[in-house]
């Protein structure tokens, strides 16, 4: 079976030219010798440990997995992807087994031969969902999602990316909101247009729901008279949403087609007429929605930062339930089969009426043909999907859980204390990592600046217009730290053994993530990769400045 692999050419693309010019994929690890004879996992682990004795067991374990794949798992005819420094990608097919070329320079010795079918595929040809799979920080990683093998093969042959095959066929290749509107119009007399949030975002060529993209999508939805149910900003990216028309007048007989909107939880849209004119003064250096010189995001019309109950995965989970008119034995069966402590009870319209627990079942001496409504049904606490998440904290603390209902009263899911704790842990982790990273970076840079003053009598060369006149301990923004890292004199004073530009670029990416934490929704789609980016940057600082 053919598989697809991404093999990076180094943090700065230092192996890119050698890979493309010589028809190779190159793994790096310059201190590691020939691993041709490592026929087992343990043998390879021993060699890596000898080559890198100062690395932590966790890092060595990670490297072991990557190198084992490169040496023993990749097979001829597998698809190989090489991300290029200019943002494009090279695609080829593996043609040879692992080789160790001792005569090459360190870092270029662990190789496998590749036929580069298309050595420079424009990034624009790769649809957003497939591009997102290329974001791994690993040197060697497998591309498994979204039928990557067949799609990359198509691109290698000069054919267009066929899109995510998991999406409905008639929605897979939609290239913009106009086509989506046409599809909704064509389907309005039949079934609804349904697709995952991920596929919905790909219509706009984006992967994550960030302020700028949300604003653009909402404007387009308003322009074409569309909305999503539930709101595309309120559910995980792999959850299915419906795209419905809301711009049609009542003469469109929406009620007949089941599209009445009064009880629906709709995506916010922005009307064409914003009402009275509002004047906004914006400096030329910092247009609205972009960053000013302080590096802080200016987003006057950013999406709300409130986290609603519906953002919790369990709040939109599929729950087993019983109706008032169901046999009581049905409740016993479901609670036994799924190990439930309680079961939601609905009326004939699907609205939440209460719950039934083992206590009520055990306390009732009912005949075998008893119905759920014959047992004691508790009145339960419930919250709506569009209510603030913090509003359910007290009820969860008092009752252990709350049921979640849609705006029309139908059951949506359940929220427990575990769900809330997990969500708050997700929210707090980026802040905790960022706080420690910024504290270490600030102290390290202040130390470097003081070293400069000790040798030069000032914080920089005289006559330098960017020279710091006075060292202050407050008022600096993260962008100021990035600017300092790009100054050669400051970098030299740190004494850090990292590539300067690469390290500064990494900290600039952290700055962007830091700005995004101001908007909770912006980290949801790539939270894991964002947190990992911060963690790696922090670990690098700990390595070079362990006492900072």
């Amino acid at each position: 079976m053919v598989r697809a692999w991404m093999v990076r050419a180094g943090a700065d693309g230092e192996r890119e030219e050698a890979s493309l010019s010589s028809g190779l994929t190159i793994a790096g690890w310059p201190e590691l010798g020939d691993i041709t004879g490592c026929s087992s996992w343990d043998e390879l682990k021993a060699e890596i440990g000898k080559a890198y004795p100062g690395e932590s067991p966790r890092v060595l374990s990670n490297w072991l997995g990557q190198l084992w794949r490169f040496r023993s798992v990749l097979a001829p005819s597998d698809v190989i992807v090489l991300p290029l420094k200019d943002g494009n990608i090279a695609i080829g097919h593996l043609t040879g087994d692992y080789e160790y070329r001792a005569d090459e320079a360190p870092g270029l010795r662990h190789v496998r031969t590749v036929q580069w079918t298309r050595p420079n595929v424009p990034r624009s040809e790769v649809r957003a969902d497939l591009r997102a799979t290329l974001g791994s920080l690993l040197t060697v990683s497998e591309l498994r999602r979204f039928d990557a093998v067949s799609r990359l093969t198509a691109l290698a042959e000069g054919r267009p990316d066929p899109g995510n095959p998991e999406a409905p066929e008639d929605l897979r290749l939609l290239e913009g909101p106009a086509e989506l509107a046409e599809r909704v119009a064509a389907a309005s007399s039949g079934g609804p247009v349904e697709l995952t949030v991920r596929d919905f975002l790909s219509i706009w060529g984006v992967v994550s729901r960030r302020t700028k993209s949300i604003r653009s999508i909402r404007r387009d939805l308003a322009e074409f008279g569309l909305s999503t149910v539930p709101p595309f900003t309120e559910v995980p990216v792999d959850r299915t949403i419906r795209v419905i028309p809301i711009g049609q007048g009542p003469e469109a007989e929406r009620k007949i087609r089941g599209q009445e909107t009064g009880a629906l939880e709709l995506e916010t849209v922005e009307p064409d007429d914003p009402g009275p004119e509002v004047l906004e003064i914006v400096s030329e250096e910092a247009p609205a929605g972009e960053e000013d010189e302080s590096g802080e995001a200016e987003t006057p019309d950013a999406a709300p930062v409130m986290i609603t109950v519906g953002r919790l995965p369990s709040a939109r989970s599929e729950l087993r339930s019983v109706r008032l008119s169901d046999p009581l034995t049905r409740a016993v069966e479901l609670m036994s089969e799924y190990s439930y402590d309680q079961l939601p009870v609905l009326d004939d319209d699907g609205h939440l009426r209460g719950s039934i627990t083992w206590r009520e079942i055990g306390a009732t001496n009912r005949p075998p043909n008893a119905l759920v409504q014959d047992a004691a049904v508790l009145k339960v606490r419930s919250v709506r999907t569009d209510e603030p998440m913090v509003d359910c904290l007290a009820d969860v603390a008092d009752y252990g859980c709350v049921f979640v209902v849609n705006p029309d009263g139908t059951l949506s899911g359940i929220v427990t204390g575990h769900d809330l704790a997990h969500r708050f842990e997700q929210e707090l982790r980026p802040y905790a990592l960022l706080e420690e990273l910024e504290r270490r970076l600030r102290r390290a840079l202040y130390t470097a600046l003081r070293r400069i003053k000790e040798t030069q009598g000032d914080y920089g060369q005289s006559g330098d217009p960017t020279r710091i006149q006075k060292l202050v301990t407050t008022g600096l923004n993260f962008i100021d730290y990035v600017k300092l890292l790009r100054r050669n004199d400051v970098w030299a004073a740190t004494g850090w053994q990292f590539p300067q530009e690469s390290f500064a670029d990494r900290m600039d990416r952290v700055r962007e993530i830091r700005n995004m934490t101001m908007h909770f929704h912006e980290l949801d789609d790539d939270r894991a990769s964002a947190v990992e980016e911060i963690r790696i940057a922090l670990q690098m600082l700990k390595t070079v400045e362990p006492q900072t």
Side-chain angles (χ1 to χ4, degrees), residues 418-443:
H418 175 270
D419 300 320
L420 290 175
H422 182 65
R423 179 68 195 206
F424 281 117
E425 187 275 336
Q426 286 183 322
E427 295 297 337
L428 292 174
R429 180 175 292 274
Y431 290 104
L433 291 174
L434 281 168
E435 181 180 2
E436 182 178 358
L437 183 145
E438 187 167 357
R439 184 174 65 250
R440 287 177 176 272
L441 184 60
R442 179 174 60 249
R443 291 179 179 176

Side-chain angles (χ1 to χ4, degrees), residues 174-243:
L174 294 180
E175 294 293 346
E179 290 189 20
L180 176 62
E182 292 175 2
R183 180 67 184 85
V184 172
S188 60
S189 59
V193 172
E194 296 183 336
L195 70 172
T196 65
V197 173
R198 191 186 303 278
D199 292 323
F200 175 80
L201 296 175
S202 72
I203 295 173
W204 279 264
V206 298
V207 175
S208 299
R209 292 168 289 189
R210 299 183 177 177
T211 298
K212 186 176 180 180
S213 58
I214 288 176
R215 197 160 55 237
S216 174
I217 292 172
R218 282 177 167 166
R219 279 198 299 264
D220 287 340
L221 290 176
E223 179 181 351
F224 290 101
L226 302 174
S227 187
T228 65
V229 181
F232 75 92
T233 56
E234 294 296 312
V235 292
V237 292
D238 292 320
R239 191 62 58 85
T240 297
I241 58 174
R242 284 187 293 147
V243 184

Side-chain angles (χ1 to χ4, degrees), residues 86-158:
D86 60 8
N88 298 331
I89 64 172
I91 306 177
H93 289 84
L94 201 67
T95 58
D97 294 329
Y98 168 80
E99 300 177 44
Y100 181 75
R101 300 186 174 181
D103 295 335
E104 297 291 343
L108 302 178
R109 294 171 177 169
H110 303 282
V111 305
R112 300 189 67 160
T113 56
V114 175
Q115 180 182 355
W116 295 111
T117 314
R118 284 189 71 189
N120 194 16
V121 178
R123 181 180 177 86
S124 58
E125 291 188 17
V126 186
R127 292 176 68 83
D129 59 338
L130 187 56
R131 284 203 308 268
T133 67
L134 306 180
S136 171
L137 299 175
L138 298 176
T139 298
V140 182
S141 59
E142 185 172 6
L143 305 176
R144 302 177 182 177
R145 302 176 64 192
F146 308 130
D147 196 27
V149 173
S150 63
R151 294 174 65 179
L152 290 166
T153 300
L155 287 166
E157 295 172 353

